[in-house]
Amino acid sequence: MSNRQTARISSRKQPQQARSTDLVAAILQAAIQVLTEHGATRFTTARVAEKAGVSIGSLYQYFPNKAAILFRLQRDEWLHTTQMLQRILENIEQPPLLRLRTLVQAFVRSECEEAQMRGALNDAAPLYRDAPEAHEVRAAGRQIFAAFISQLLPEASGPTRAAACELILTTLSSVGKDFSASPRADLEITAFADGLADMFSAYVVALNQPSG
């Protein structure tokens, strides 16, 4: 079952030449436009091909179906988030609590700026969310954050660190999704992110206090 699912969302081939790379880029850009304009329920390979100005056969050379295109868009979004995580959390020139605050601010702003696209991809998630590729990409981000938690809570036990990692990531994701569901002004985003960062910081400081 997993092998068939992998085949359905994996690209048929990777572009090797500049022309092929440009074609794939055009298809993905068109896919973003179609997804934004029509939503996941009316997203089709035919609409993407038409928007990209390519034949459906050319599209199928790289993407076997719409699930493969949508997963590629979601994967790119996950990779972007993972790179942001890595860039911020591995900056050892800043103390851990400041890195956490910077991450919260960047994440909330990113959620608000890309809310429409994220919402459409979320609607399409049933097509690919249980595929092995999806689990692998998400796991990479969690590993980066788990490593950071060790710096954030140097004296805490393994179970405490694991619980803190789960709580912060789950809260950040859920609250960010809910907050970004409505249009937000720049000052509102900054104030909200600061408040959320304050709560996380207080939680971490409390966990770092000696027991007893």
Side-chain angles (χ1 to χ4, degrees):
M1 179 67 168
S2 61
N3 288 338
R4 292 199 299 273
Q5 189 171 34
T6 297
R8 287 200 298 271
I9 71 167
S10 295
S11 300
R12 288 190 187 278
K13 64 179 182 178
Q14 297 300 318
Q16 301 297 322
Q17 300 177 349
R19 182 178 177 183
S20 299
T21 300
D22 290 343
L23 175 60
V24 170
I27 291 171
L28 293 175
Q29 185 58 45
I32 291 172
Q33 295 174 15
V34 171
L35 190 60
T36 302
E37 293 171 9
H38 299 284
T41 57
R42 299 181 63 198
F43 182 93
T44 65
T45 53
R47 282 197 170 99
V48 173
E50 181 181 8
K51 178 73 73 173
V54 303
S55 69
I56 194 71
S58 294
L59 183 149
Y60 283 145
Q61 288 182 37
Y62 298 96
F63 301 101
N65 50 41
K66 71 176 185 178
I69 301 174
L70 289 166
F71 175 70
R72 172 62 182 270
L73 294 178
Q74 180 65 87
R75 190 199 69 171
D76 288 351
E77 192 277 324
W78 281 333
L79 288 175
H80 172 75
T81 301
T82 299
Q83 289 167 358
M84 179 180 71
L85 271 172
Q86 192 166 20
R87 184 176 64 255
I88 293 172
L89 298 184
E90 294 182 359
N91 180 15
I92 60 175
E93 293 183 0
Q94 292 186 339
L97 277 178
L98 180 56
R99 277 180 268 165
L100 178 62
R101 178 172 296 275
T102 301
L103 173 66
V104 172
Q105 293 168 339
F107 182 84
V108 172
R109 187 165 299 280
S110 175
E111 287 286 294
C112 291
E113 291 174 349
E114 302 176 16
Q116 186 176 11
M117 180 65 176
R118 291 179 194 273
L121 283 172
N122 186 64
D123 291 338
L127 292 171
Y128 54 75
R129 66 185 170 198
D130 294 324
E133 297 99 323
H135 289 295
E136 289 170 6
V137 177
R138 290 195 297 265
R142 294 188 70 87
Q143 289 174 358
I144 292 171
F145 197 79
F148 169 69
I149 287 291
S150 297
Q151 301 173 40
L152 198 62
L153 298 169
E155 304 300 326
S157 65
T160 296
R161 289 178 181 173
C165 182
E166 184 67 25
L167 185 147
I168 293 174
L169 285 180
T170 300
T171 302
L172 191 58
S173 176
S174 299
V175 173
K177 178 181 177 181
D178 184 70
F179 179 73
S180 64
S182 301
R184 304 290 182 177
D186 187 71
L187 290 177
E188 188 179 9
I189 294 173
T190 299
F192 183 87
D194 282 342
L196 187 59
D198 286 342
M199 288 191 292
F200 286 148
S201 295
Y203 171 65
V204 169
V205 169
L207 289 179
N208 275 322
Q209 294 297 321
S211 60

